[in-house]
Amino acid sequence: MYDILKHTHSGLRWVALLLMLTVIVTAWQTWKSNAPYKQRLTLFTLIVSHLQLLLGLIMYFMSPHVQFGEGFMKDSVLRFYGVEHITIMVLAITLITMGYSKAKRQADDRLRGQVVVRLFGIALVLILLGIPWPFRIPVAGWF
Ligand code: HEM
């Protein structure tokens, strides 16, 4: 059961990254060249990020790499999953949520594009920093 959740969460990273990139590029075109704002694509990306949040929260209570025993902060893997990963990702997903809803409240598409480029852009940088890439975290995988 845990392995299914972990593989889903791990594989969904690629979907999330691809969607984030597509949303930012299309929002940039909306901002700079008046292309229509892609609200549905932005909403779909928001949903995928919330799915990651949900899977992550469930796994947080099951993972062998989340343990708050004495000295866990000195262990780089336990510190990463127990503190760093969750903090960075929750912040990124908050920015995505703010970006989506703030964009909806703007007066026109150009401003919507601008808001999305800024907030999703920061969120993407955070996600890239928060992912346990195998070259960084020894117990992580690519899929
Ligand atoms: C966009 C958001 C997120 C992305 C892209 C992401 C990505 C990943 C990846 C790639 C892994 C490694 C899986 C592996 O070892 O193969 C992972 C593991 C994990 N993530 Fe996330 N994550 C996100 C959000 C979250 C959040 C918000 C939480 C907590 C609330 C969370 C909790 C965990 C936990 C507990 C593990 C498993 C550690 C283990 O047992 O090895 N993740 N995540």
Side-chain angles (χ1 to χ4, degrees):
M1 169 68 179
Y2 181 72
D3 276 357
I4 296 174
L5 288 177
K6 190 165 133 174
H7 278 106
T8 310
H9 186 73
S10 183
L12 262 184
R13 104 184 74 176
W14 301 110
V15 179
L17 286 174
L18 194 72
L19 282 169
M20 290 293 289
L21 216 61
T22 315
V23 163
I24 292 166
V25 169
T26 55
W28 177 272
Q29 288 164 343
T30 304
W31 178 15
K32 298 293 176 185
S33 350
N34 277 329
Y37 173 60
K38 296 215 176 348
Q39 160 111 12
R40 289 239 297 241
L41 179 69
T42 318
L43 175 63
F44 190 60
T45 309
L46 171 83
I47 292 170
V48 169
S49 75
H50 281 219
L51 190 60
Q52 280 295 68
L53 175 66
L54 183 68
L55 290 172
L57 277 176
I58 298 169
M59 285 165 41
Y60 199 72
F61 295 97
M62 298 168 80
S63 170
H65 299 127
V66 178
Q67 288 175 31
F68 300 101
E70 200 189 324
F72 82 97
M73 287 296 273
K74 291 200 189 90
D75 180 316
S76 61
V77 172
L78 297 185
R79 187 181 61 237
F80 179 80
Y81 284 113
V83 182
E84 295 165 5
H85 185 65
I86 183 171
T87 308
I88 296 173
M89 294 318 201
V90 166
L91 196 61
I93 295 165
T94 306
L95 290 174
I96 291 172
T97 312
M98 282 167 60
Y100 174 77
S101 58
K102 205 173 161 204
K104 276 212 303 198
R105 294 196 302 272
Q106 300 304 303
D108 59 49
D109 274 4
R110 202 188 63 81
L111 291 172
R112 286 185 192 103
Q114 188 186 51
V115 164
V116 169
V117 167
R118 290 191 175 152
L119 292 176
F120 277 56
I122 304 171
L124 177 59
V125 173
L126 287 174
I127 289 173
L128 285 170
L129 290 173
I131 284 178
W133 299 109
F135 51 80
R136 211 180 131 203
I137 302 295
V139 294
W142 290 106
F143 297 103

